[in-house]
Amino acid sequence: MSYLAVALAAEGAEVTVLCCQAFDVDPPSHADEGPRVVRLPSSPVRGWGTVRYMTALNGWLRKNPVDLAYVSMLKHDAFAALGAGRARGFPVVLRPEGAGATGDIAWQGWGRGGRIIARRCKRADAVVAISPAVRAELLAAGYEPARVVDLPNGVPVPDLAWSPRPDWSRAPTAVFVGRLAPEKELGALVDAWPIVRRSHPAARLILIGEGPERLALESRIAGLGLTGAIELPGICLDPRPALRSADLFVLPSREEGMSIALLEALALGLPAVASDIPGNRRLIDDFETGRLASPDDPPALAAAILDQWLGFDRAVRMGRKARERVIAEFSVSASARLHLSLFRRLVAARDRTSL
């Protein structure tokens, strides 16, 4: 959404990003550039923070000029925005960010207030499906097909593509970028690493991100004697340097909507291995634009990684082909234009009905 906000502004839209006050990270130093960012009051106290933020969000949307609201995730923000949109008469577009057991539709079934939020979400003017898996879940949950619009994620495409390191084979490096969470199946990737190191004893794995699985992963790495071979550097606001210095991107998730991290790697042209799940198959054709491996299968994951490094020239060609595909189908500028077309259509329709 941050990429899209910048791209929408570049296309001439007046963009304001509303988000809750941050307590665990410092705002980026360039926060005063690009679209306007408004950080609304919240609290680190669970429950009270949600109530305070929703109240502030509802108040801001009711008091400020808004032509359309675009909401990430089908949760509390969506509930508040839809209420304000109904009161003020502006259209609201929702965007689920994930599928599967950890996705938005699943949350509406078990989250606190989820069922009430789901009923209101179904009244949105449009719901964006970023992947076929997300679309299928929306329809199965009872969202009207006419309101579901297919718009895939988009990422900036760097002018300079990734290029292989001349001495990569001495200590090949694979990188993951994302949340250290159960659905990412990083345990399987850690378990695959001893197999990888049988062929490449100096192979390194870098897991960039933070999350609830950190302690378990650290324990697992130590138990396998891989301390030093697998690094957990924490959150990185700009992972591109790490991607450029790597020899492979790996995404072992069991669930994805459409992974921004995978798109970013493919946009560079970095060879990739990903789990064989619907969200990843939308981006990777096996042996064409990367390699796919069965999820939660360390030997299969290790085999795909080793295959990419064994036939590295072929892997580099796959990476270049994947970059061409991202340029053609998943650039953020193209995504912004498609979004603006949808937004203008909805605003015009709302204006006609209010006459």
Side-chain angles (χ1 to χ4, degrees), residues 162 165 168-178 186 189-190 192-193 196-197 200 202-209 228-233 239 241-252 265 270-274 301-302 304-306 308-309 312:
W162 170 89
R165 298 181 296 134
W168 73 271
S169 59
R170 292 183 184 177
T173 301
V175 65
F176 160 89
V177 179
L186 294 172
L189 180 54
V190 170
W193 214 245
V196 171
R197 283 171 65 90
H200 296 279
R204 297 168 58 237
L205 175 62
I206 303 174
L207 307 177
I208 298 175
I230 302 180
E231 303 172 23
L232 289 87
L243 293 173
R244 288 192 180 278
S245 62
D247 308 299
L248 190 70
F249 180 83
V250 185
L251 183 68
L270 177 62
V273 169
L301 190 57
I305 292 168
L306 290 171
Q308 287 288 65
W309 285 341
F312 198 56

Short mmCIF file of all heavy atoms in Angstrom, two decimals, residues 162 165 168-178 186 189-190 192-193 196-197 200 202-209 228-233 239 241-252 265 270-274 301-302 304-306 308-309 312:
data_model
loop_
_atom_site.label_atom_id
_atom_site.label_comp_id
_atom_site.label_asym_id
_atom_site.label_seq_id
_atom_site.Cartn_x
_atom_site.Cartn_y
_atom_site.Cartn_z
N TRP A 162 19.36 -7.06 -10.89
CA TRP A 162 20.32 -7.87 -10.14
C TRP A 162 21.30 -8.53 -11.11
O TRP A 162 20.94 -8.88 -12.24
CB TRP A 162 19.56 -8.95 -9.37
CG TRP A 162 20.41 -10.02 -8.74
CD1 TRP A 162 20.96 -10.00 -7.49
CD2 TRP A 162 20.79 -11.26 -9.32
NE1 TRP A 162 21.66 -11.16 -7.27
CE2 TRP A 162 21.57 -11.95 -8.38
CE3 TRP A 162 20.55 -11.87 -10.56
CZ2 TRP A 162 22.11 -13.21 -8.61
CZ3 TRP A 162 21.09 -13.11 -10.81
CH2 TRP A 162 21.85 -13.79 -9.85
N ARG A 165 27.09 -12.53 -8.58
CA ARG A 165 28.44 -12.28 -8.09
C ARG A 165 29.42 -13.23 -8.79
O ARG A 165 29.12 -14.42 -8.93
CB ARG A 165 28.51 -12.49 -6.58
CG ARG A 165 27.63 -11.57 -5.77
CD ARG A 165 27.78 -11.84 -4.27
NE ARG A 165 27.34 -13.18 -3.89
CZ ARG A 165 28.00 -14.00 -3.09
NH1 ARG A 165 29.19 -13.65 -2.62
NH2 ARG A 165 27.51 -15.18 -2.78
N TRP A 168 30.22 -16.29 -6.52
CA TRP A 168 29.07 -16.71 -5.74
C TRP A 168 29.20 -18.13 -5.20
O TRP A 168 28.72 -18.43 -4.09
CB TRP A 168 27.79 -16.59 -6.57
CG TRP A 168 27.68 -17.65 -7.64
CD1 TRP A 168 28.16 -17.58 -8.90
CD2 TRP A 168 27.09 -18.94 -7.50
NE1 TRP A 168 27.90 -18.74 -9.58
CE2 TRP A 168 27.24 -19.60 -8.74
CE3 TRP A 168 26.45 -19.60 -6.46
CZ2 TRP A 168 26.78 -20.90 -8.95
CZ3 TRP A 168 25.98 -20.89 -6.67
CH2 TRP A 168 26.15 -21.52 -7.91
N SER A 169 29.82 -19.02 -5.94
CA SER A 169 29.84 -20.44 -5.57
C SER A 169 30.70 -20.73 -4.35
O SER A 169 30.58 -21.80 -3.74
CB SER A 169 30.33 -21.28 -6.75
OG SER A 169 31.62 -20.89 -7.14
N ARG A 170 31.57 -19.79 -3.95
CA ARG A 170 32.40 -20.03 -2.75
C ARG A 170 31.54 -20.09 -1.49
O ARG A 170 31.77 -20.92 -0.61
CB ARG A 170 33.44 -18.91 -2.60
CG ARG A 170 34.50 -18.90 -3.68
CD ARG A 170 35.52 -17.80 -3.39
NE ARG A 170 36.51 -17.70 -4.45
CZ ARG A 170 37.47 -16.79 -4.47
NH1 ARG A 170 37.56 -15.89 -3.49
NH2 ARG A 170 38.33 -16.75 -5.47
N ALA A 171 30.59 -19.19 -1.40
CA ALA A 171 29.69 -19.15 -0.24
C ALA A 171 28.33 -18.65 -0.71
O ALA A 171 27.96 -17.50 -0.48
CB ALA A 171 30.25 -18.24 0.86
N PRO A 172 27.57 -19.49 -1.41
CA PRO A 172 26.28 -19.04 -1.94
C PRO A 172 25.34 -18.61 -0.81
O PRO A 172 25.32 -19.22 0.26
CB PRO A 172 25.75 -20.27 -2.67
CG PRO A 172 26.48 -21.43 -2.08
CD PRO A 172 27.82 -20.92 -1.68
N THR A 173 24.58 -17.55 -1.09
CA THR A 173 23.72 -16.95 -0.07
C THR A 173 22.28 -16.92 -0.55
O THR A 173 21.99 -16.46 -1.65
CB THR A 173 24.18 -15.52 0.25
OG1 THR A 173 25.53 -15.55 0.71
CG2 THR A 173 23.30 -14.88 1.30
N ALA A 174 21.39 -17.41 0.30
CA ALA A 174 19.95 -17.32 0.05
C ALA A 174 19.35 -16.37 1.06
O ALA A 174 19.82 -16.27 2.21
CB ALA A 174 19.29 -18.68 0.14
N VAL A 175 18.30 -15.65 0.67
CA VAL A 175 17.68 -14.67 1.55
C VAL A 175 16.17 -14.83 1.55
O VAL A 175 15.56 -15.16 0.53
CB VAL A 175 18.09 -13.23 1.14
CG1 VAL A 175 17.56 -12.88 -0.24
CG2 VAL A 175 17.62 -12.19 2.16
N PHE A 176 15.58 -14.63 2.71
CA PHE A 176 14.12 -14.55 2.89
C PHE A 176 13.82 -13.19 3.46
O PHE A 176 14.55 -12.68 4.33
CB PHE A 176 13.64 -15.65 3.85
CG PHE A 176 12.28 -15.37 4.46
CD1 PHE A 176 11.12 -15.78 3.82
CD2 PHE A 176 12.17 -14.67 5.67
CE1 PHE A 176 9.87 -15.51 4.37
CE2 PHE A 176 10.93 -14.40 6.23
CZ PHE A 176 9.78 -14.82 5.58
N VAL A 177 12.72 -12.56 3.02
CA VAL A 177 12.27 -11.29 3.58
C VAL A 177 10.79 -11.45 3.95
O VAL A 177 9.98 -11.83 3.09
CB VAL A 177 12.44 -10.12 2.59
CG1 VAL A 177 11.94 -8.83 3.22
CG2 VAL A 177 13.90 -9.98 2.17
N GLY A 178 10.45 -11.17 5.18
CA GLY A 178 9.06 -11.27 5.59
C GLY A 178 8.93 -11.41 7.09
O GLY A 178 9.90 -11.30 7.85
N LEU A 186 9.17 -21.14 8.09
CA LEU A 186 10.63 -20.96 8.12
C LEU A 186 11.32 -22.13 8.82
O LEU A 186 12.51 -22.38 8.57
CB LEU A 186 10.97 -19.64 8.80
CG LEU A 186 10.51 -18.41 8.01
CD1 LEU A 186 10.71 -17.14 8.83
CD2 LEU A 186 11.26 -18.31 6.70
N LEU A 189 12.47 -24.36 6.17
CA LEU A 189 13.65 -23.83 5.49
C LEU A 189 14.90 -24.06 6.32
O LEU A 189 15.96 -24.44 5.78
CB LEU A 189 13.45 -22.34 5.19
CG LEU A 189 14.58 -21.62 4.48
CD1 LEU A 189 14.97 -22.32 3.19
CD2 LEU A 189 14.19 -20.17 4.20
N VAL A 190 14.81 -23.85 7.63
CA VAL A 190 15.95 -24.12 8.51
C VAL A 190 16.31 -25.60 8.47
O VAL A 190 17.49 -25.97 8.38
CB VAL A 190 15.62 -23.67 9.95
CG1 VAL A 190 16.69 -24.17 10.93
CG2 VAL A 190 15.53 -22.14 10.03
N ALA A 192 15.89 -27.56 6.05
CA ALA A 192 16.46 -27.89 4.74
C ALA A 192 17.94 -27.50 4.64
O ALA A 192 18.66 -28.05 3.79
CB ALA A 192 15.68 -27.16 3.63
N TRP A 193 18.39 -26.61 5.52
CA TRP A 193 19.73 -26.05 5.34
C TRP A 193 20.87 -27.06 5.54
O TRP A 193 21.87 -27.01 4.82
CB TRP A 193 19.92 -24.81 6.21
CG TRP A 193 20.81 -23.82 5.50
CD1 TRP A 193 22.04 -23.39 5.86
CD2 TRP A 193 20.52 -23.19 4.25
NE1 TRP A 193 22.54 -22.52 4.93
CE2 TRP A 193 21.62 -22.39 3.93
CE3 TRP A 193 19.42 -23.24 3.38
CZ2 TRP A 193 21.67 -21.63 2.75
CZ3 TRP A 193 19.47 -22.49 2.23
CH2 TRP A 193 20.57 -21.69 1.92
N VAL A 196 21.29 -28.62 2.24
CA VAL A 196 21.94 -27.71 1.29
C VAL A 196 23.43 -27.67 1.53
O VAL A 196 24.24 -27.70 0.60
CB VAL A 196 21.33 -26.29 1.42
CG1 VAL A 196 22.13 -25.28 0.62
CG2 VAL A 196 19.87 -26.29 0.97
N ARG A 197 23.84 -27.67 2.82
CA ARG A 197 25.26 -27.51 3.15
C ARG A 197 26.08 -28.78 2.90
O ARG A 197 27.31 -28.72 2.92
CB ARG A 197 25.40 -27.03 4.59
CG ARG A 197 25.09 -25.53 4.71
CD ARG A 197 25.02 -25.07 6.14
NE ARG A 197 26.28 -25.18 6.85
CZ ARG A 197 27.21 -24.22 6.91
NH1 ARG A 197 27.04 -23.08 6.25
NH2 ARG A 197 28.30 -24.39 7.63
N HIS A 200 27.06 -27.53 -0.42
CA HIS A 200 27.70 -26.21 -0.33
C HIS A 200 27.99 -25.93 1.14
O HIS A 200 27.19 -25.27 1.82
CB HIS A 200 26.79 -25.13 -0.92
CG HIS A 200 26.51 -25.29 -2.38
ND1 HIS A 200 27.39 -24.87 -3.36
CD2 HIS A 200 25.45 -25.84 -3.02
CE1 HIS A 200 26.87 -25.14 -4.54
NE2 HIS A 200 25.70 -25.73 -4.37
N ALA A 202 29.70 -23.90 2.79
CA ALA A 202 29.76 -22.50 3.24
C ALA A 202 28.48 -21.73 2.94
O ALA A 202 28.44 -20.50 3.10
CB ALA A 202 30.95 -21.80 2.59
N ALA A 203 27.42 -22.42 2.51
CA ALA A 203 26.17 -21.73 2.15
C ALA A 203 25.59 -20.99 3.35
O ALA A 203 25.56 -21.51 4.47
CB ALA A 203 25.17 -22.73 1.60
N ARG A 204 25.10 -19.77 3.09
CA ARG A 204 24.52 -18.92 4.13
C ARG A 204 23.05 -18.67 3.84
O ARG A 204 22.64 -18.62 2.68
CB ARG A 204 25.25 -17.57 4.21
CG ARG A 204 26.70 -17.68 4.61
CD ARG A 204 27.43 -16.36 4.39
NE ARG A 204 26.82 -15.26 5.13
CZ ARG A 204 26.38 -14.14 4.57
NH1 ARG A 204 26.46 -13.96 3.25
NH2 ARG A 204 25.86 -13.18 5.31
N LEU A 205 22.27 -18.51 4.90
CA LEU A 205 20.86 -18.20 4.80
C LEU A 205 20.58 -16.99 5.68
O LEU A 205 20.96 -16.97 6.86
CB LEU A 205 20.00 -19.39 5.25
CG LEU A 205 18.49 -19.18 5.33
CD1 LEU A 205 17.91 -18.85 3.96
CD2 LEU A 205 17.81 -20.42 5.92
N ILE A 206 19.94 -15.97 5.12
CA ILE A 206 19.62 -14.75 5.86
C ILE A 206 18.10 -14.61 5.92
O ILE A 206 17.44 -14.52 4.87
CB ILE A 206 20.25 -13.51 5.20
CG1 ILE A 206 21.77 -13.69 5.08
CG2 ILE A 206 19.94 -12.25 6.01
CD1 ILE A 206 22.46 -12.59 4.31
N LEU A 207 17.55 -14.58 7.13
CA LEU A 207 16.11 -14.45 7.34
C LEU A 207 15.84 -13.03 7.86
O LEU A 207 16.03 -12.75 9.04
CB LEU A 207 15.61 -15.49 8.34
CG LEU A 207 15.97 -16.95 8.04
CD1 LEU A 207 15.47 -17.87 9.15
CD2 LEU A 207 15.41 -17.38 6.70
N ILE A 208 15.40 -12.14 6.96
CA ILE A 208 15.20 -10.74 7.30
C ILE A 208 13.76 -10.53 7.76
O ILE A 208 12.82 -10.83 7.02
CB ILE A 208 15.51 -9.83 6.10
CG1 ILE A 208 16.98 -9.98 5.69
CG2 ILE A 208 15.19 -8.38 6.42
CD1 ILE A 208 17.33 -9.22 4.43
N GLY A 209 13.59 -10.00 8.96
CA GLY A 209 12.26 -9.74 9.48
C GLY A 209 12.20 -10.00 10.96
O GLY A 209 13.17 -10.42 11.59
N GLY A 228 25.62 -19.05 12.86
CA GLY A 228 26.64 -18.49 11.97
C GLY A 228 26.33 -18.76 10.51
O GLY A 228 26.66 -17.95 9.64
N ALA A 229 25.71 -19.91 10.24
CA ALA A 229 25.31 -20.24 8.87
C ALA A 229 23.98 -19.62 8.52
O ALA A 229 23.70 -19.33 7.35
CB ALA A 229 25.25 -21.75 8.67
N ILE A 230 23.12 -19.43 9.53
CA ILE A 230 21.81 -18.82 9.33
C ILE A 230 21.74 -17.57 10.20
O ILE A 230 21.96 -17.62 11.41
CB ILE A 230 20.66 -19.78 9.68
CG1 ILE A 230 20.75 -21.05 8.83
CG2 ILE A 230 19.32 -19.09 9.49
CD1 ILE A 230 19.65 -22.06 9.11
N GLU A 231 21.45 -16.43 9.59
CA GLU A 231 21.42 -15.15 10.29
C GLU A 231 20.00 -14.62 10.38
O GLU A 231 19.21 -14.79 9.45
CB GLU A 231 22.29 -14.13 9.55
CG GLU A 231 23.73 -14.57 9.36
CD GLU A 231 24.50 -13.62 8.45
OE1 GLU A 231 24.09 -12.44 8.33
OE2 GLU A 231 25.49 -14.07 7.84
N LEU A 232 19.70 -13.96 11.51
CA LEU A 232 18.42 -13.30 11.71
C LEU A 232 18.71 -11.84 12.07
O LEU A 232 18.76 -11.49 13.25
CB LEU A 232 17.60 -13.97 12.81
CG LEU A 232 17.02 -15.35 12.49
CD1 LEU A 232 18.03 -16.45 12.81
CD2 LEU A 232 15.73 -15.59 13.27
N PRO A 233 18.90 -10.98 11.08
CA PRO A 233 19.32 -9.60 11.36
C PRO A 233 18.19 -8.69 11.82
O PRO A 233 18.45 -7.55 12.20
CB PRO A 233 19.87 -9.13 10.01
CG PRO A 233 19.12 -9.93 9.00
CD PRO A 233 18.91 -11.28 9.63
N PRO A 239 15.15 -3.70 2.04
CA PRO A 239 15.85 -4.97 1.85
C PRO A 239 16.58 -5.08 0.52
O PRO A 239 17.24 -6.09 0.26
CB PRO A 239 14.72 -6.00 1.93
CG PRO A 239 13.53 -5.26 1.37
CD PRO A 239 13.69 -3.83 1.82
N PRO A 241 19.36 -3.80 -0.84
CA PRO A 241 20.79 -4.15 -0.83
C PRO A 241 21.05 -5.61 -0.50
O PRO A 241 21.93 -6.25 -1.10
CB PRO A 241 21.37 -3.21 0.24
CG PRO A 241 20.45 -2.03 0.25
CD PRO A 241 19.09 -2.62 0.00
N ALA A 242 20.28 -6.16 0.46
CA ALA A 242 20.44 -7.58 0.81
C ALA A 242 20.04 -8.48 -0.35
O ALA A 242 20.67 -9.51 -0.60
CB ALA A 242 19.62 -7.90 2.06
N LEU A 243 18.98 -8.10 -1.07
CA LEU A 243 18.57 -8.89 -2.23
C LEU A 243 19.64 -8.85 -3.32
O LEU A 243 19.94 -9.88 -3.94
CB LEU A 243 17.24 -8.36 -2.78
CG LEU A 243 16.00 -8.54 -1.89
CD1 LEU A 243 14.81 -7.81 -2.49
CD2 LEU A 243 15.69 -10.01 -1.69
N ARG A 244 20.23 -7.69 -3.54
CA ARG A 244 21.24 -7.56 -4.60
C ARG A 244 22.50 -8.37 -4.29
O ARG A 244 23.18 -8.84 -5.20
CB ARG A 244 21.61 -6.09 -4.81
CG ARG A 244 20.53 -5.28 -5.50
CD ARG A 244 21.04 -3.93 -5.94
NE ARG A 244 20.00 -3.14 -6.60
CZ ARG A 244 19.66 -3.28 -7.87
NH1 ARG A 244 20.28 -4.18 -8.63
NH2 ARG A 244 18.70 -2.54 -8.40
N SER A 245 22.82 -8.53 -3.01
CA SER A 245 24.02 -9.25 -2.64
C SER A 245 23.78 -10.74 -2.44
O SER A 245 24.72 -11.50 -2.15
CB SER A 245 24.63 -8.66 -1.36
OG SER A 245 23.72 -8.79 -0.27
N ALA A 246 22.53 -11.19 -2.61
CA ALA A 246 22.20 -12.61 -2.46
C ALA A 246 22.29 -13.33 -3.80
O ALA A 246 22.38 -12.71 -4.86
CB ALA A 246 20.80 -12.75 -1.88
N ASP A 247 22.25 -14.65 -3.73
CA ASP A 247 22.31 -15.49 -4.92
C ASP A 247 21.00 -16.23 -5.16
O ASP A 247 20.86 -16.94 -6.17
CB ASP A 247 23.45 -16.50 -4.79
CG ASP A 247 24.76 -15.82 -4.44
OD1 ASP A 247 25.23 -14.99 -5.23
OD2 ASP A 247 25.30 -16.10 -3.34
N LEU A 248 20.05 -16.06 -4.24
CA LEU A 248 18.76 -16.74 -4.36
C LEU A 248 17.79 -16.14 -3.36
O LEU A 248 18.17 -15.79 -2.24
CB LEU A 248 18.92 -18.25 -4.09
CG LEU A 248 17.72 -19.14 -4.40
CD1 LEU A 248 17.50 -19.26 -5.90
CD2 LEU A 248 17.92 -20.53 -3.79
N PHE A 249 16.52 -16.02 -3.76
CA PHE A 249 15.46 -15.63 -2.84
C PHE A 249 14.61 -16.87 -2.58
O PHE A 249 14.27 -17.62 -3.50
CB PHE A 249 14.58 -14.53 -3.44
CG PHE A 249 13.46 -14.11 -2.53
CD1 PHE A 249 13.69 -13.19 -1.53
CD2 PHE A 249 12.18 -14.64 -2.67
CE1 PHE A 249 12.66 -12.79 -0.68
CE2 PHE A 249 11.16 -14.26 -1.82
CZ PHE A 249 11.40 -13.33 -0.82
N VAL A 250 14.26 -17.09 -1.30
CA VAL A 250 13.47 -18.26 -0.93
C VAL A 250 12.24 -17.83 -0.15
O VAL A 250 12.34 -17.05 0.81
CB VAL A 250 14.30 -19.27 -0.10
CG1 VAL A 250 13.48 -20.52 0.17
CG2 VAL A 250 15.60 -19.63 -0.81
N LEU A 251 11.07 -18.34 -0.54
CA LEU A 251 9.82 -18.08 0.16
C LEU A 251 9.11 -19.41 0.40
O LEU A 251 8.47 -19.95 -0.50
CB LEU A 251 8.93 -17.15 -0.67
CG LEU A 251 7.61 -16.75 -0.01
CD1 LEU A 251 7.86 -15.85 1.20
CD2 LEU A 251 6.70 -16.03 -1.00
N PRO A 252 9.22 -19.98 1.62
CA PRO A 252 8.67 -21.31 1.87
C PRO A 252 7.24 -21.33 2.42
O PRO A 252 6.79 -22.37 2.91
CB PRO A 252 9.65 -21.86 2.92
CG PRO A 252 10.05 -20.65 3.70
CD PRO A 252 10.03 -19.48 2.73
N ALA A 265 11.76 -9.35 -5.22
CA ALA A 265 12.90 -10.14 -5.67
C ALA A 265 12.84 -10.39 -7.17
O ALA A 265 13.84 -10.26 -7.89
CB ALA A 265 12.95 -11.47 -4.91
N LEU A 270 16.29 -11.48 -9.40
CA LEU A 270 16.98 -12.44 -8.53
C LEU A 270 16.34 -13.82 -8.68
O LEU A 270 15.13 -13.95 -8.57
CB LEU A 270 16.87 -11.97 -7.08
CG LEU A 270 17.47 -12.86 -5.99
CD1 LEU A 270 18.97 -13.03 -6.18
CD2 LEU A 270 17.15 -12.29 -4.61
N PRO A 271 17.12 -14.87 -8.95
CA PRO A 271 16.55 -16.22 -9.02
C PRO A 271 15.81 -16.56 -7.73
O PRO A 271 16.20 -16.11 -6.64
CB PRO A 271 17.78 -17.11 -9.20
CG PRO A 271 18.79 -16.22 -9.86
CD PRO A 271 18.57 -14.87 -9.26
N ALA A 272 14.74 -17.34 -7.86
CA ALA A 272 13.87 -17.58 -6.70
C ALA A 272 13.44 -19.03 -6.62
O ALA A 272 13.33 -19.75 -7.62
CB ALA A 272 12.64 -16.68 -6.79
N VAL A 273 13.17 -19.44 -5.37
CA VAL A 273 12.50 -20.70 -5.05
C VAL A 273 11.35 -20.35 -4.12
O VAL A 273 11.52 -19.62 -3.15
CB VAL A 273 13.45 -21.69 -4.34
CG1 VAL A 273 12.67 -22.88 -3.78
CG2 VAL A 273 14.54 -22.17 -5.28
N ALA A 274 10.16 -20.85 -4.42
CA ALA A 274 8.98 -20.56 -3.60
C ALA A 274 8.16 -21.82 -3.42
O ALA A 274 8.27 -22.78 -4.20
CB ALA A 274 8.14 -19.46 -4.24
N LEU A 301 12.39 -28.72 -0.62
CA LEU A 301 12.87 -27.33 -0.63
C LEU A 301 14.37 -27.29 -0.88
O LEU A 301 14.86 -26.51 -1.71
CB LEU A 301 12.52 -26.67 0.70
CG LEU A 301 12.71 -25.16 0.82
CD1 LEU A 301 11.91 -24.42 -0.24
CD2 LEU A 301 12.28 -24.70 2.22
N ALA A 302 15.12 -28.16 -0.18
CA ALA A 302 16.57 -28.22 -0.39
C ALA A 302 16.90 -28.62 -1.82
O ALA A 302 17.82 -28.06 -2.44
CB ALA A 302 17.19 -29.21 0.59
N ALA A 304 15.16 -28.05 -4.55
CA ALA A 304 14.92 -26.93 -5.46
C ALA A 304 16.02 -25.88 -5.35
O ALA A 304 16.47 -25.31 -6.35
CB ALA A 304 13.55 -26.31 -5.17
N ILE A 305 16.46 -25.60 -4.12
CA ILE A 305 17.55 -24.65 -3.91
C ILE A 305 18.82 -25.14 -4.59
O ILE A 305 19.50 -24.40 -5.32
CB ILE A 305 17.78 -24.42 -2.40
CG1 ILE A 305 16.57 -23.69 -1.79
CG2 ILE A 305 19.07 -23.64 -2.15
CD1 ILE A 305 16.57 -23.67 -0.27
N LEU A 306 19.15 -26.40 -4.36
CA LEU A 306 20.37 -26.95 -4.95
C LEU A 306 20.28 -27.00 -6.47
O LEU A 306 21.27 -26.79 -7.17
CB LEU A 306 20.63 -28.36 -4.39
CG LEU A 306 21.05 -28.40 -2.92
CD1 LEU A 306 21.06 -29.84 -2.40
CD2 LEU A 306 22.43 -27.76 -2.73
N GLN A 308 18.73 -24.85 -8.37
CA GLN A 308 18.99 -23.50 -8.85
C GLN A 308 20.48 -23.19 -8.86
O GLN A 308 20.99 -22.54 -9.78
CB GLN A 308 18.25 -22.47 -7.98
CG GLN A 308 16.75 -22.41 -8.19
CD GLN A 308 16.35 -21.79 -9.52
OE1 GLN A 308 16.64 -22.34 -10.58
NE2 GLN A 308 15.69 -20.65 -9.47
N TRP A 309 21.19 -23.66 -7.86
CA TRP A 309 22.63 -23.38 -7.80
C TRP A 309 23.44 -24.32 -8.69
O TRP A 309 24.50 -23.95 -9.18
CB TRP A 309 23.11 -23.44 -6.36
CG TRP A 309 22.70 -22.20 -5.58
CD1 TRP A 309 22.32 -21.01 -6.10
CD2 TRP A 309 22.63 -22.06 -4.16
NE1 TRP A 309 22.02 -20.13 -5.10
CE2 TRP A 309 22.21 -20.73 -3.89
CE3 TRP A 309 22.90 -22.90 -3.08
CZ2 TRP A 309 22.04 -20.24 -2.60
CZ3 TRP A 309 22.74 -22.41 -1.79
CH2 TRP A 309 22.31 -21.10 -1.55
N PHE A 312 23.16 -22.75 -12.38
CA PHE A 312 23.03 -21.34 -12.06
C PHE A 312 22.78 -20.47 -13.28
O PHE A 312 22.03 -19.50 -13.22
CB PHE A 312 24.26 -20.85 -11.30
CG PHE A 312 24.04 -19.56 -10.55
CD1 PHE A 312 23.01 -19.44 -9.63
CD2 PHE A 312 24.86 -18.47 -10.77
CE1 PHE A 312 22.79 -18.25 -8.94
CE2 PHE A 312 24.66 -17.27 -10.09
CZ PHE A 312 23.62 -17.17 -9.17
#
